[in-house]
Amino acid sequence: MPTPAAARSGAPSAPRRVVVIGVGNEMRRDDGAGIAVVERARPLLPSGVEVRTLGGEATSLLDVWEGADLAVVVDAVRWDRPPAFGVTRIDAMSQPDSVGGWGTAASSHGLGVAEAVALGRALDRLPQRLILLLIALAEEGQGEGLSPSVEGHVDEAVALLVAEVRAG
């Protein structure tokens, strides 16, 4: 069987596409946690990583992560029973039953990340790997700034995000 020309010549394979997506609204207190995390992580990420911030519309998420080798989405969510730790990591591909298991109307956006994952799965528009980093909402009122409890988990989320991207 013939070897592809690129492999024979030792040419590098196409670069991997990695996208990091912060979801939220910075004017709705803790809803801005996803954006805060990706903005703080931005200078720590390898060059070539796409960093995007979105309001949480399901179809926008599909458009941004489509064709990615790895997408990491950071969002603040409501929990029926808040987890015992600050940031919850879900591998949406290997743990599909965990997506959306964080409660009814979990996102503070109309159609949230869980709905985007379900829609992407139905339409075959998911990235090759999809990691969700979820922070429990504490305050959802109007105004800027994160609550102290959510702010206390931002550094943890940044570290997890950078580790996910570097592990690729």
Side-chain angles (χ1 to χ4, degrees):
M1 182 168 182
T3 307
R8 282 194 313 264
S9 69
S13 59
R16 291 178 357 103
R17 180 169 175 247
V18 177
V19 62
V20 168
I21 308 165
V23 178
N25 180 339
E26 294 172 296
M27 297 305 295
R28 293 196 53 220
R29 302 286 296 165
D30 290 346
D31 188 45
I35 294 172
V37 168
V38 299
E39 290 302 336
R40 289 184 201 176
R42 187 186 293 264
L44 306 172
L45 295 170
S47 64
V49 172
E50 296 175 42
V51 178
R52 302 287 299 270
T53 58
L54 298 173
E57 301 79 24
T59 55
S60 295
L61 283 164
L62 294 180
D63 291 340
V64 171
W65 71 38
E66 187 171 28
D69 296 295
L70 170 65
V72 182
V73 178
V74 186
D75 194 13
V77 297
R78 293 183 201 102
W79 293 89
D80 287 341
R81 289 167 293 173
F85 43 88
V87 182
T88 299
R89 178 195 181 276
I90 297 174
D91 182 326
M93 308 313 272
S94 67
Q95 301 170 290
D97 293 340
S98 297
V99 178
W102 50 80
T104 308
S107 179
S108 57
H109 326 291
L111 288 177
V113 173
E115 292 83 3
V117 173
L119 184 59
R121 188 167 277 120
L123 298 175
D124 196 25
R125 289 184 62 193
L126 290 177
Q128 188 174 13
R129 288 191 59 228
L130 176 57
I131 304 297
L132 308 178
L133 299 177
L134 308 172
I135 302 171
L137 283 163
E139 295 180 21
E140 297 181 64
Q142 298 296 318
E144 292 182 79
L146 303 175
S147 67
S149 64
V150 169
E151 181 65 46
H153 297 301
V154 170
D155 287 342
E156 175 190 356
V158 168
L160 286 169
L161 171 59
V162 171
E164 287 291 344
V165 169
R166 290 182 187 266

